[in-house]
Amino acid sequence: MKNETANASTRRAALNESHVWQVYARRKYDEPLHEIGNVMADDVELASVYARTIYDEFSWVEMVLVPRETIVTVIES
């Protein structure tokens, strides 16, 4: 696990992308948002392009980005 974290940090530094964005989307208006993955980008505009490009397998009716650092853990296992 420690080695994976080091590799991720190295990749972020090499790409100059320091923010992780969680990606949520829904395919139908009557279903809830589901977490579909994440992207790394320095700003919301680039994160939006990455999310639309990477997660284009469905015709989403809504896609939302949340900066990972803003997520608050309520219960930790």
Side-chain angles (χ1 to χ4, degrees):
M1 183 70 129
K2 185 177 180 181
N3 195 19
E4 289 177 20
T5 303
N7 288 340
S9 296
T10 302
R11 283 195 310 271
R12 278 194 295 275
L15 294 171
N16 194 27
E17 295 172 337
S18 57
H19 298 287
V20 179
W21 302 79
Q22 296 303 120
V23 183
Y24 297 85
R26 72 174 98 218
R27 293 192 297 178
K28 298 177 183 176
Y29 290 107
D30 61 345
E31 68 180 25
L33 286 167
H34 297 280
E35 183 178 1
I36 59 171
N38 63 65
V39 295
M40 291 190 307
D42 283 334
D43 58 53
V44 69
E45 290 83 14
L46 191 54
S48 297
V49 171
Y50 288 168
R52 283 180 168 269
T53 303
I54 293 169
Y55 302 107
D56 68 344
E57 66 270 19
F58 297 109
S59 296
W60 305 108
V61 297
E62 184 176 16
M63 184 179 284
V64 177
L65 295 172
V66 178
R68 184 179 279 172
E69 67 263 12
T70 65
I71 296 173
V72 176
T73 301
V74 177
I75 299 173
E76 190 170 341
S77 57

